[in-house]
C-alpha cells in the first residue's frame, strides 16, 4: 500500500507513512485564479493499493472535497488497484437525514460523488452519525479518537475526571472517555430549534460539585454547545472544566468564547489542523490500516 498525502492533511499522512512503513506519495496542489482546484500525484501508484489522507474541514471544505475526488480519479488513472479515502473530518456529515421537507441528504451526495471519482473504501473518525455510513455506496468505517483524547488528559494528571457529554446522543462518547479516565460519567440535555439552530441545555440530576469535568463532543463548530455546557457546570459547582473534541472547527471566535466561559483547555485532534489539534490521529489510522483490533 502507498499513502497519498492530501494537501489538507500532509503532516498527518506523513506520520501515517512513518508509523506504517507505507511509502508516501506527495501531491502538488494549487488553486487557479478563478478558485478551481488542481492536484497532481508525484509518485508511481501503478498496480498499488493506495490510501489518500485528506481531511475536509473548513476553510475550503468544498474545495477539499473536490481535491479528494480529483486525487482518487488521478490514482485510478495512474493504475492504482484500490483507493481508500481516509477523511478524518467528513464535511456535510451532520446533514445525514432530511430534517425538514425539501432538504437533501448531503452526506449521501458526497459519498456518491466520491464513488464516481474512484473511491473504493472509506475511513473516517467519529462521524456524527454512524448510521449514515450504511448508506454509502462502498465499505465505510468510522473509528473513535475519544480514547486518545482521554489519554491526553490522563497524562496531564486528570485520571478520575468526570466525563460529560453535552447531550444524550453523544453519551457513548463520554462513556468511551470514562473507560480511560475511570471517573463518573453523565450528560446534559440539549434541544435544537431546526429553523433557528438555537439550542437549550439543561442539567437534570447531574452532580459535579467540586469535580474536574471534561466535556467531550465529536465536533465544536460555533462553540455554542460547549459555552452553554461550561456555564451550567460552573453553576453546578464544578472545580475545573476542560473540553475534548475530535473535530475542533472553532468557527470565528469560538475558542475565545469557550475559554471566556471558564473552560481551562480545549483539546482536539489533527482532523482539523490548528491551535487545539494536540492529539494526532496517526496511531489510530495506522493501526486501522494495518488491521489491528
Ligand atoms: C451536535 O449534535 C454535535 O455533536 C455538536 O455538539 C455540535 O455540532 C456543536 O456545534 P456548536 O459548536 O455550533 O454548538
Amino acid at each position: 500500500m502507498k499513502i497519498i498525502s492530501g494537501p489538507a492533511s500532509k503532516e498527518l499522512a506523513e506520520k501515517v507513512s512513518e508509523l506504517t512503513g507505507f511509502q508516501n506519495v506527495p501531491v502538488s496542489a494549487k488553486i487557479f485564479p478563478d478558485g478551481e482546484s488542481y492536484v497532481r500525484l508525484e509518485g508511481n501508484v501503478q498496480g498499488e493499493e493506495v490510501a489518500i489522507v485528506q481531511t475536509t474541514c473548513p476553510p475550503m471544505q468544498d474545495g477539499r472535497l473536490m481535491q479528494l475526488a480529483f486525487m482518487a480519479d488521478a490514482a485510478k488513472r495512474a493504475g492504482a488497484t484500490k483507493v481508500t479515502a481516509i477523511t478524518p473530518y467528513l464535511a456535510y456529515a451532520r446533514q445525514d437525514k432530511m430534517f425538514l421537507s425539501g432538504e437533501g441528504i448531503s452526506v449521501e451526495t458526497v459519498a456518491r460523488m466520491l464513488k464516481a471519482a474512484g473511491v473504493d473504501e472509506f475511513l473516517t473518525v467519529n462521524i456524527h452519525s454512524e448510521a449514515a455510513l450504511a448508506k454509502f455506496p462502498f465499505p465505510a468505517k468510522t473509528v473513535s479518537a475519544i480514547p486518545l483524547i482521554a489519554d491526553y488528559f490522563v497524562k496531564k494528571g486528570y485520571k478520575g475526571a468526570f466525563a460529560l457529554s453535552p447531550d444524550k446522543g453523544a453519551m457513548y462518547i463520554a462513556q468511551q472517555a470514562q473507560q480511560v479516565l475511570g471517573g463518573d460519567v453523565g450528560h446534559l440535555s440539549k434541544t435544537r430549534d431546526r429553523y433557528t439552530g438555537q439550542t437549550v441545555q439543561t442539567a437534570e440530576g447531574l452532580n459535579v460539585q467540586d469535580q474536574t469535568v471534561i466535556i467531550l463532543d465529536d465536533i465544536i463548530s460555533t462553540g455554542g454547545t460547549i459555552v452553554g455546557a461550561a456555564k451550567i457546570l460552573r453553576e453546578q459547582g464544578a472545580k475545573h472544566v476542560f473540553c475534548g473534541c475530535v473535530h475542533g472547527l472553532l468557527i470565528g471566535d469560538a475558542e475565545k468564547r469557550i475559554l471566556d466561559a471558564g473552560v481551562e483547555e480545549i483539546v482536539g485532534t489533527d482532523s482539523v489542523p490548528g491551535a487545539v489539534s494536540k492529539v494526532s490521529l496517526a496511531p489510530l489510522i495506522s493501526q486501522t490500516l494495518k488491521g489491528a483490533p
Side-chain angles (χ1 to χ4, degrees):
M1 173 173 277
K2 289 191 178 180
I3 306 293
I4 296 180
S5 277
S9 295
K10 190 169 173 292
E11 274 180 37
L12 175 58
E14 285 168 0
K15 281 187 196 158
V16 170
S17 282
E18 256 174 56
L19 290 176
T20 55
F22 295 144
Q23 197 187 321
N24 195 269
V25 178
V27 174
S28 62
K30 64 181 176 186
I31 308 287
F32 289 111
D34 61 1
E36 291 181 357
S37 296
Y38 168 92
V39 291
R40 178 165 175 264
L41 309 185
E42 295 191 327
N44 182 17
V45 295
Q46 171 69 43
E48 298 279 353
E49 295 193 1
V50 299
I52 305 170
V53 185
Q54 167 84 345
T55 200
T56 57
C57 62
M60 218 183 89
Q61 57 268 57
D62 293 358
R64 287 173 167 173
L65 275 170
M66 291 311 291
Q67 288 176 333
L68 175 57
F70 296 156
M71 287 185 283
D73 177 58
K76 278 286 171 71
R77 287 175 195 274
T81 53
K82 181 177 169 191
V83 172
T84 300
I86 301 180
T87 306
Y89 175 76
L90 177 63
Y92 299 103
R94 282 175 291 178
Q95 184 69 25
D96 58 359
K97 57 174 90 119
M98 291 168 62
F99 297 96
L100 298 173
S101 62
E103 292 179 346
I105 304 182
S106 312
V107 71
E108 286 184 26
T109 308
V110 166
R112 287 200 300 270
M113 182 188 94
L114 294 177
K115 169 82 180 167
V119 170
D120 300 300
E121 217 167 282
F122 183 80
L123 175 66
T124 189
V125 181
N126 291 93
I127 192 165
H128 185 60
S129 158
E130 197 166 343
L133 296 177
K135 300 255 179 72
F136 282 22
F138 35 57
K141 183 172 168 180
T142 182
V143 288
S144 179
I146 294 297
L148 289 177
I149 294 169
D151 192 52
Y152 173 96
F153 284 106
V154 168
K155 289 198 174 110
K156 286 202 93 171
Y158 300 114
K159 181 97 189 147
F162 190 111
L164 181 102
S165 160
D167 61 62
K168 199 173 173 189
M171 186 61 176
Y172 79 98
I173 287 180
Q175 283 164 337
Q176 285 178 3
Q178 183 203 22
Q179 299 282 313
V180 179
L181 292 166
D184 291 335
V185 67
H187 67 85
L188 301 178
S189 297
K190 181 171 90 171
T191 50
R192 184 183 294 273
D193 183 311
R194 286 288 161 205
Y195 289 92
T196 64
Q198 291 295 312
T199 57
V200 179
Q201 290 162 288
T202 51
E204 284 145 37
L206 193 75
N207 181 6
V208 292
Q209 183 74 40
D210 293 327
Q211 295 238 39
T212 293
V213 183
I214 303 173
I215 311 167
L216 294 135
D217 210 349
D218 54 346
I219 303 173
I220 301 178
S221 182
T222 65
T225 301
I226 302 298
V227 167
K231 284 185 181 154
I232 291 175
L233 292 172
R234 289 296 187 192
E235 283 161 18
Q236 302 275 324
K239 194 160 150 201
H240 297 287
V241 179
F242 296 92
C243 167
C245 70
V246 181
H247 312 295
L249 305 180
L250 296 169
I251 304 302
D253 63 350
E255 184 178 357
K256 180 177 182 309
R257 290 194 304 111
I258 291 170
L259 297 175
D260 287 350
V263 172
E264 293 171 43
E265 185 179 357
I266 308 168
V267 177
T269 77
D270 48 6
S271 80
V272 184
V276 305
S277 52
K278 300 169 187 176
V279 171
S280 179
L281 298 171
L284 180 64
I285 292 171
S286 302
Q287 280 164 18
T288 309
L289 281 179
K290 288 275 189 179

